[in-house]
Amino acid sequence: MAFQCRFCPRTFALEKHLTDHLAAKGDHVLCTHNGCSKTFKSRDKMQNHLKKDHRATRPAYVPLSISEKVEIGTKIDRPRVTTTTMSLPSGNSLTATKIATKIPQNQVNSGRMSHNPPITQTKVQDPRWSIIPPPQHHEAITKLRQRTHTWEVLDLHVQSRNRKENSADYEPAPAASLLLPKRAAVALDCEMVGAREGEKEHNVLARLSVIDYLTGDVLIDSLVNPDKQVTDWRTRWSGVTRGAMNTAIRNGNALKGYKGAREELWKHIDSSTVIVGQALKNDFDVLRITHSLVVDSGIVTAEAAGIPSISLYGIKTACTELLRIKVQQGRGHDSVEDSLAAREVVLTCLNDPERLEQWAKIKREEYAIAEEKRKLKVEKERAERRAALDKKISWTREEWPGVLTKEEQSKIRVKIPRLGPTASWDFYLGPTRVPATATWATTISRSREEWIDGSRIVRVVLGPSRGLAEEYTGELGQWVLYDADFQHVVVPQTSEHSLSDADREDSELFVGLLAQVPEMILDQPLDESEDSLLMEALQPSSPELEMEDIGGVAL
DNA sequence: GGTTTCTTTGCAGTCTCGTT
DNA sequence: AACGAGACTGCAAAGAAACC
């Protein structure tokens, strides 16, 4: 009988020795810094090490505390979960040797398991997928654990909105126990079909496949009898047919709904198992599970490429471009294949950083080109709108005079701020009304110019910032204005911001325009009659200009 | 305490991309 | 094909702070 540490390869003859070891090594928290193999007793100590020795900028992965995961000192007398009965040629490297021959689907395990998790399952033998020789299992798991996503990433890209709204339905994996050790890491994929509930169609689980990350063993590959009436089998994508489902149900091979599938999954994993997959958010959603140790191949590739959108590269793209292997070629997806593909992408990302960087470099360049194209398109559209606007008035923006003639005034409709919600103001006049630390970032994106009833409306809206406040918030100056294209904020003299010539020109232009507004009403709330007074003040004196010329709207 | 002023938040629509 | 999600935007109401 041996006492084995769950977190490292060491075994101990006496329970006391294991207890002492755990007391010394604590959570075995691995340093998340590349190339550092130190382990620490607690997450705090590891964080201190990161700050002190590596000056970490990326939030570190913080595993569960050991008390949450294992019952310390429990006797075990069984092979480690990371060992396998798979026979391997000696000297295999992580990615060099691959086993051929794909298994027929009818040999895949039905998913009905005994109480104890099976150590050996059906092996997927396909030259596309790497095998990991048993001597390298510990290293593979260490690397994988180091790459699990931070809480922030999990919250953003893995925990679904559904989960946050219906948290009662969701279940975490069972707590780890030395009495019932489960798989160290698995790759998982689900196939979904459509079921209508009310007026909307929802995804429901129809097939669950789970692969042992280390051995490639198929732990689960079962159809799941949906707990709702299926309205769309989506066979073209899901590969699931009504006939196959009926047969599986008749033979007792189908799992019962997502709860049955979840129970089956719990037989193989616990809270210390790392789950690997592609876009696991979708899978977690249909399984109604939560998990904190996750490596999502979509997130890994997106992070490597430095692309903001985390779901930019699907599994097919990653396999084709990064691994140069083909997946999803048949009729519908195969969740066993997708699981293995996600596993393969993760293995490559972890073990072949040079190849990953090569691919990422290409993707960054492609992304930069696409961004440039997008910007050009936006600029072109903006120019077209601008040209369309300028056609309607007698002068272009470049020719806009500092002081307008009365005729020109008639083509400008100026609204003076009313008291009320900021968002309804078209001009925000300072300094008395400009808050000392207003957030004006969103005004850049939210402000706009309009052409209404033959009048050019320039809207300048001070409002809240959504995401950019820090970048743009600051002490405001005498005026807060935008250029006619709302390209940037113009903050004259009193601000620390320096003005470009173009900014100054725009600023003077607007200030010149506003100077024509009777001063007496600038800082006063306006009622309808005062609006009319203002309109009169801005009206051309010649009676031939009727209200229609300014859109027939009295301000 | 009521009113005014300013900020924050929620909701909805559009677009794009990935999922099955 | 249908859906979900993120990003972006517009609009409006709620909430908070300042003022009288």
Side-chain angles (χ1 to χ4, degrees):
Chain A
M1 184 176 294
F3 295 85
Q4 183 147 26
C5 177
R6 181 159 185 77
F7 304 103
C8 70
R10 297 197 62 182
T11 55
F12 301 89
L14 299 175
E15 182 179 346
K16 182 181 181 304
H17 294 161
L18 173 61
T19 309
D20 290 344
H21 167 74
L22 288 171
K25 292 285 183 180
D27 288 354
H28 288 64
V29 179
L30 291 161
C31 176
T32 57
H33 191 265
N34 245 356
C36 179
S37 57
K38 287 186 177 177
T39 60
F40 296 87
K41 192 173 175 180
S42 69
R43 67 187 83 177
D44 290 342
K45 290 195 188 306
M46 192 273 285
Q47 298 280 19
N48 288 340
H49 160 73
L50 272 176
K51 280 180 198 164
K52 189 182 160 197
D53 298 336
H54 303 306
R55 297 189 176 278
T57 52
R58 178 176 172 269
Y61 151 64
V62 182
L64 295 172
S65 71
I66 194 163
S67 57
E68 292 169 290
K69 290 196 283 194
V70 296
E71 299 161 23
I72 301 172
T74 307
K75 291 180 183 178
I76 56 167
D77 186 16
R78 61 171 69 240
R80 293 188 65 219
V81 290
T82 52
T83 58
T84 174
T85 57
M86 181 185 283
S87 59
L88 298 162
S90 59
N92 280 342
S93 68
L94 198 56
T95 56
T97 307
K98 299 176 181 184
I99 296 176
T101 316
K102 189 176 182 185
I103 53 159
Q105 276 302 297
N106 59 8
Q107 287 180 22
V108 170
N109 186 281
S110 72
R112 287 179 298 164
M113 308 289 179
S114 60
H115 176 69
N116 289 322
I119 297 302
T120 304
Q121 296 291 328
T122 310
K123 311 232 176 304
V124 171
Q125 299 176 337
D126 186 310
R128 291 175 297 174
W129 317 127
S130 304
I131 57 164
I132 307 172
Q136 294 178 16
H137 282 184
H138 178 66
E139 182 193 345
I141 283 296
T142 303
K143 278 186 179 173
L144 189 67
R145 280 186 169 274
Q146 283 178 326
R147 192 57 187 86
T148 50
H149 305 303
T150 60
W151 297 111
E152 290 88 347
V153 170
L154 286 179
D155 199 46
L156 204 58
H157 302 297
V158 181
Q159 311 284 26
S160 83
R161 182 174 290 175
N162 266 347
R163 188 192 74 76
K164 288 165 187 166
E165 287 167 2
N166 308 302
S167 54
D169 278 355
Y170 283 71
E171 221 176 78
S177 159
L178 287 180
L179 284 173
L180 279 173
K182 306 285 176 66
R183 302 285 167 160
V186 297
L188 174 154
D189 189 51
C190 297
E191 301 296 334
M192 290 80 127
V193 295
R196 196 159 286 281
E197 190 177 37
E199 293 201 348
K200 290 192 81 178
E201 190 177 276
H202 297 276
N203 282 337
V204 291
L205 181 61
R207 181 181 173 188
L208 169 66
S209 296
V210 180
I211 312 292
D212 187 301
Y213 175 80
L214 293 170
T215 65
D217 294 346
V218 179
L219 305 177
I220 305 173
D221 182 29
S222 286
L223 291 175
V224 179
N225 187 5
D227 31 26
K228 289 175 186 162
Q229 184 70 38
V230 176
T231 52
D232 183 359
W233 288 94
R234 301 177 186 169
T235 304
R236 185 176 158 194
W237 294 277
S238 68
V240 179
T241 62
R242 185 197 299 269
M245 182 66 77
N246 288 340
T247 304
I249 294 169
R250 217 171 24 246
N251 297 339
N253 289 336
L255 298 169
K256 288 181 182 170
Y258 74 89
K259 287 184 179 171
R262 203 165 57 184
E263 287 310 309
E264 197 60 44
L265 180 61
W266 294 161
K267 291 177 184 172
H268 300 275
I269 76 167
D270 59 30
S271 60
S272 67
T273 304
V274 181
I275 299 182
V276 174
Q278 167 81 13
L280 281 167
K281 179 188 280 192
N282 300 311
D283 304 316
F284 284 11
D285 217 18
V286 289
L287 278 165
R288 299 276 198 277
I289 65 169
T290 62
H291 202 67
S292 56
L293 298 177
V294 170
V295 180
D296 189 310
S297 52
I299 297 175
V300 172
T301 49
E303 285 183 351
I307 306 298
S309 175
I310 212 76
S311 56
L312 203 57
Y313 307 119
I315 191 67
K316 199 171 181 176
T317 306
C319 285
T320 307
E321 296 178 359
L322 181 63
L323 311 181
R324 308 226 178 278
I325 59 177
K326 289 185 176 177
V327 294
Q328 298 180 345
Q329 297 290 297
R331 183 169 178 261
H333 293 185
D334 177 343
S335 46
V336 171
E337 182 188 53
D338 288 352
S339 306
L340 287 160
R343 167 185 179 269
E344 197 66 29
V345 169
V346 170
L347 276 172
T348 302
C349 292
L350 295 179
N351 296 303
D352 199 347
E354 281 181 18
R355 186 200 283 199
L356 177 64
E357 177 51 30
Q358 269 181 352
W359 174 82
K361 193 179 169 191
I362 293 168
K363 301 317 284 185
R364 279 195 293 272
E365 286 166 3
E366 285 178 4
Y367 185 77
I369 291 167
E371 270 291 282
E372 189 62 30
K373 276 186 183 170
R374 191 189 61 79
K375 278 181 187 167
L376 285 173
K377 188 183 165 196
V378 168
E379 276 171 20
K380 190 182 168 193
E381 286 170 359
R382 190 195 296 269
E384 284 169 1
R385 284 200 303 272
R386 164 104 239 150
L389 278 172
D390 285 343
K391 268 189 182 174
K392 295 182 178 179
I393 55 178
S394 58
W395 26 259
T396 67
R397 174 167 169 260
E398 287 69 29
E399 298 161 349
W400 193 344
V403 177
L404 304 177
T405 65
K406 291 200 170 183
E407 188 179 350
E408 287 163 345
Q409 282 177 28
S410 72
K411 299 190 177 189
I412 300 289
R413 188 168 73 167
V414 178
K415 283 187 85 175
I416 297 299
R418 301 160 184 276
L419 300 178
T422 311
S424 69
W425 295 1
D426 290 318
F427 277 102
Y428 193 94
L429 300 180
T432 55
R433 289 183 183 172
V434 178
T437 56
T439 53
W440 32 276
T442 40
T443 33
I444 296 169
S445 55
R446 292 184 162 211
S447 300
R448 64 184 189 279
E449 60 181 340
E450 294 172 345
W451 188 268
I452 299 174
D453 300 331
S455 296
R456 189 182 200 169
I457 306 297
V458 182
R459 299 198 62 168
V460 180
V461 182
L462 271 183
S465 168
R466 296 190 184 191
L468 295 173
E470 275 185 30
E471 191 176 344
Y472 290 102
T473 301
E475 188 85 12
L476 295 186
Q478 189 176 6
W479 296 92
V480 180
L481 298 169
Y482 293 80
D483 76 352
D485 275 337
F486 300 106
Q487 293 285 330
H488 41 248
V489 182
V490 178
V491 185
Q493 303 83 355
T494 56
S495 166
E496 288 180 3
H497 294 73
S498 60
L499 287 179
S500 67
D501 288 343
D503 288 343
R504 192 177 301 283
E505 194 180 315
D506 284 328
S507 173
E508 285 168 0
L509 187 151
F510 274 90
V511 172
L513 171 65
L514 292 167
Q516 298 176 53
V517 178
E519 194 177 338
M520 56 171 280
I521 58 174
L522 279 181
D523 280 326
Q524 300 297 321
L526 300 178
D527 56 27
E528 289 300 318
S529 62
E530 284 170 330
D531 270 347
S532 302
L533 284 176
L534 170 63
M535 201 60 243
E536 284 171 17
L538 293 175
Q539 274 287 308
S541 53
S542 61
E544 59 268 23
L545 273 164
E546 300 294 333
M547 284 298 281
E548 285 72 23
D549 292 318
I550 48 110
V553 181
L555 295 175

